[in-house]
């Protein structure tokens, strides 16, 4: 596992291999492409934290349009944007839209940058099943990430655990950037107990093995596919409830269930965007439109996330023991 702020290399090599496959011309160049809105073969990139929902969208899209083949490249958010800016792909999925500088650069490449919100997920905190502390405030998350708090006893004097070991999915992921922007107000993460692995699945595995750890991942990784109601999470970890209040209690803290994303009770909500620069409105644009369509939005709903579009019906249910 790499420490979060260690310098890593390899992106340049990966991008070089991608561009070397097309006689020095991008595969999606408007002068060489043959794909259409619903046929052809293209690659696109996505932040790895969104891979469960993107895999479902690809599966249904290819089943609907038999002449279409999609190759998702799962990487971190920074690398995905670099691929878009380097004209290696025409479509990425991220948790942010373009900066003004990026949009200007993409237009200079001949693209037509479109930012389309497709859904919402919750940034989720997971802990080991042996950890009795399952409620936390947004302020204490900030204190942990800033390095102000490093021991479980600083949050709960009765805790038998020692250091708070925070693990992210990737040092350049959308999860890290969102925490810096939305929790720390742009200030850098500053704690020796914060690390990064490579994928969200590795975060879950790490938390399973380390009782003192907190994992930070997207909520679409937590859905237990055995539960069609989307109200349970994976049984091998615990999901923390998060509160906006000064003190977290069971009554004022919320888990990233769909309904609590919908009514705004859960405080750590981020928007998922499809960022498309397809100048010929071919297959990248077709897939973007599909994900935003009623069928694509239903897939997002069934994957425990909150769709950006759609009529949602809320029903009250009485549960009897």
């Amino acid at each position: 596992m790499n420490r979060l702020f260690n310098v890593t290399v390899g992106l340049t090599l990966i991008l070089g291999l991608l561009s070397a496959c097309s006689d020095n011309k991008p595969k999606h160049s408007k002068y060489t492409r043959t794909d259409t809105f619903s046929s052809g073969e293209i690659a696109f990139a996505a932040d790895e934290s969104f891979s469960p929902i993107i895999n479902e969208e690809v599966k249904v899209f290819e089943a609907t349009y038999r002449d279409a083949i999609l190759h998702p490249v799962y990487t971190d958010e920074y690398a995905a944007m670099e691929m878009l800016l380097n004209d290696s792909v025409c479509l990425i999925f991220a948790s942010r839209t373009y900066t003004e500088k990026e949009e200007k650069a993409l237009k200079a490449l001949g693209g037509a940058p479109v930012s389309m919100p497709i859904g919402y997920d919750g940034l989720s905190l997971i802990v080991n099943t042996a950890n009795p502390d399952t409620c936390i405030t947004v302020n204490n998350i900030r204190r942990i990430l800033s390095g102000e708090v490093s021991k479980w006893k600083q949050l709960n004097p009765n805790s038998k655990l020692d250091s708070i070991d925070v693990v992210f999915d990737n040092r350049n992921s959308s999860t890290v950037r969102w925490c810096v922007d939305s929790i720390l107000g742009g200030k850098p993460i500053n704690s020796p107990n914060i690390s990064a692995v490579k994928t969200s699945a590795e975060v879950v595995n790490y938390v399973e093995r380390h009782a003192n750890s907190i994992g930070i991942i997207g909520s679409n990784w937590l859905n237990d596919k055995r539960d069609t109601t989307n109200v349970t999470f994976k049984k091998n970890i615990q999901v923390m409830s998060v509160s906006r209040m000064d003190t977290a209690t069971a009554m004022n803290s919320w888990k990233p269930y769909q309904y609590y994303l919908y009514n705004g009770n859960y405080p750590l909500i981020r928007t998922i965007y499809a960022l498309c620069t397809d100048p010929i409105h071919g297959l990248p644009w077709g897939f973007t439109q599909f994900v935003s369509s009623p069928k694509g939005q239903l897939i997002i709903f069934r994957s425990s996330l909150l769709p950006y579009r759609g009529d949602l019906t809320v029903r009250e249910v009485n549960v009897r023991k």
Side-chain angles (χ1 to χ4, degrees):
M1 178 173 60
N2 295 323
R3 285 292 164 188
L4 186 58
F5 302 105
N6 286 349
V7 177
T8 59
V9 295
L11 175 60
T12 303
L13 175 60
I14 294 171
L15 294 178
L17 291 173
L18 286 173
S19 61
C21 297
S22 55
D23 297 328
N24 297 323
K25 289 184 179 180
K27 283 188 175 182
H28 69 271
S29 168
K30 62 183 179 181
Y31 301 109
T32 60
R33 283 173 54 187
T34 59
D35 59 283
T36 70
F37 190 87
S38 59
S39 68
E41 184 174 0
I42 58 105
F44 67 91
D47 188 280
E48 184 272 338
S49 65
F50 302 132
S51 60
I53 181 60
I54 298 302
N55 282 336
E56 291 296 318
E57 296 282 1
V58 168
K59 180 180 177 181
V60 177
F61 183 85
E62 291 182 336
T64 304
Y65 302 104
R66 299 288 185 174
D67 294 326
I69 301 175
L70 302 176
H71 299 288
V73 178
Y74 294 118
T75 182
D76 59 74
E77 189 174 76
Y78 175 82
M81 181 58 73
E82 285 295 299
M83 292 173 71
L84 201 66
L85 292 169
N86 289 335
D87 212 24
S88 299
V89 295
C90 277
L91 171 64
I92 69 170
F93 291 89
S95 67
R96 68 172 180 89
T97 188
Y98 312 102
T99 64
E100 184 176 342
K101 182 179 179 181
E102 289 166 346
E103 187 168 7
K104 184 177 180 180
L106 290 165
K107 288 180 178 178
L109 286 172
V114 172
S115 175
M116 187 173 295
I118 61 168
Y120 305 95
D121 83 333
L123 203 67
S124 305
L125 280 70
I126 60 174
V127 293
N128 188 276
T129 53
N131 192 336
D133 294 314
T134 57
C135 291
I136 192 168
T137 67
V138 173
N139 185 51
N140 278 338
I141 298 171
R142 179 193 61 78
R143 294 171 69 206
I144 291 169
L145 295 178
S146 67
E148 181 181 345
V149 167
S150 60
K151 306 285 187 181
W152 281 104
K153 287 186 179 297
Q154 293 175 268
L155 301 181
N156 177 8
N158 296 321
S159 177
K160 296 180 180 179
L161 300 174
D162 190 17
S163 298
I164 301 174
D165 189 4
V166 181
V167 59
F168 282 95
D169 51 351
N170 188 292
R171 65 185 300 273
N172 290 318
S173 72
S174 61
T175 305
V176 173
R177 184 198 54 77
W178 196 93
C179 286
V180 170
D181 291 348
S182 300
I183 298 179
L184 295 176
K187 296 179 181 179
I189 293 173
N190 184 27
S191 172
N193 296 331
I194 296 180
S195 316
V197 285
K198 294 181 179 179
T199 66
S200 299
E202 290 182 48
V203 174
V204 175
N205 292 335
Y206 185 90
V207 171
E208 282 187 274
R209 298 192 305 269
H210 297 83
N212 64 322
S213 62
I214 296 179
I216 303 181
I217 58 177
S219 61
N220 69 123
W221 276 90
L222 301 177
N223 178 234
D224 189 331
K225 293 185 180 297
R226 296 169 296 180
D227 175 21
T228 58
T229 65
N230 290 340
V231 294
T232 63
F233 297 115
K234 290 184 177 295
K235 304 300 191 298
N236 46 7
I237 49 90
Q238 299 183 94
V239 181
M240 300 191 84
S241 299
V242 182
S243 175
R244 291 186 176 90
M245 302 295 106
D246 293 334
T247 301
T249 69
M251 298 301 294
N252 66 18
S253 305
W254 312 93
K255 294 183 188 294
Y257 292 130
Q258 280 178 323
Y259 179 66
Y260 299 139
L261 301 180
Y262 173 74
N263 67 11
N265 279 348
Y266 191 72
L268 309 179
I269 302 174
R270 59 182 181 171
T271 306
I272 306 171
Y273 294 91
L275 304 180
C276 186
T277 62
D278 187 1
I280 68 169
H281 282 195
L283 193 52
W285 180 249
F287 185 54
T288 300
Q289 291 293 309
F290 173 82
V291 175
S292 183
S293 72
K295 181 180 281 190
Q297 292 289 284
L298 182 59
I299 295 169
I300 290 176
F301 176 75
R302 289 177 173 172
S303 297
S304 81
L305 302 185
L306 185 67
Y308 184 79
R309 297 175 177 82
D311 296 325
L312 302 180
T313 301
V314 177
R315 296 186 177 91
E316 292 186 4
V317 178
N318 291 322
V319 179
R320 295 181 179 178
K321 291 186 179 181

